[in-house]
Amino acid sequence: MSGGFRDSFTKEDTKEDLLGYDDTAFNYFVVTVLACVALPWTFSVVYNLVWPGEAQLQKEFPQKTSSGCSLRYCGTSAMTSKVDAARKQARKFSRASAVFWVLKTLLLTAIWVGIFSTVMRLGQEKE
């Protein structure tokens, strides 16, 4: 392989511009791939901030079956206290979960910075 990565995704200024290709295709590709990762992940992080522990609670005490039928739980004080204890446990914020949340947020922020910097670079490309 003589050319490598740079030759595949950029044009050389020394060659004639035979077909009028530009080197922005890779930038569009990067923005698309990063957006496909960042958008759902951002939605998930915001959802978990607004409703902490809701996914775990729905897994342990679902309100509907897979066919769509509603479930009713026993209304005794023992079952009610069990569900309340599970809700409190799901919303607890431990040291490990805090470190994981900070790392996840930093990585997500880095992805968004990458998207915005690539979009800004696309806006400044010469025609």
Side-chain angles (χ1 to χ4, degrees):
M1 260 180 98
S2 64
F5 180 79
R6 182 149 177 84
D7 290 342
S8 297
F9 288 103
T10 61
K11 66 179 180 180
E12 294 180 17
D13 292 332
T14 59
K15 290 185 179 178
E16 286 186 32
D17 197 13
L18 298 176
L19 298 176
Y21 291 129
D22 61 0
D23 56 350
T24 60
F26 180 71
N27 292 332
Y28 285 108
F29 175 75
V30 167
V31 167
T32 303
V33 170
L34 289 177
C36 286
V37 171
L39 286 174
W41 196 7
T42 303
F43 177 76
S44 173
V45 167
V46 169
Y47 180 83
N48 287 327
L49 280 176
V50 175
W51 294 286
E54 191 67 30
Q56 181 183 357
L57 192 64
Q58 286 297 327
K59 188 169 63 171
E60 292 177 6
F61 299 102
Q63 293 185 355
K64 292 191 177 199
T65 63
S66 59
S67 62
C69 298
S70 295
L71 294 174
R72 291 180 59 188
Y73 291 101
C74 180
T76 63
S77 63
M79 185 62 178
T80 306
S81 65
K82 183 178 179 181
V83 172
D84 290 340
R87 287 182 194 272
K88 287 180 185 176
Q89 182 65 27
R91 290 193 172 117
K92 244 184 206 178
F93 208 64
S94 67
R95 179 181 289 238
S97 65
V99 169
F100 180 69
W101 187 83
V102 167
L103 290 175
K104 183 170 52 170
T105 305
L106 286 175
L107 183 60
L108 189 59
T109 302
I111 290 173
W112 279 111
V113 166
I115 289 173
F116 287 125
S117 67
T118 305
V119 167
M120 295 306 288
R121 191 175 335 135
L122 283 173
Q124 297 172 355
E125 288 290 323
K126 58 183 177 182
E127 294 284 331

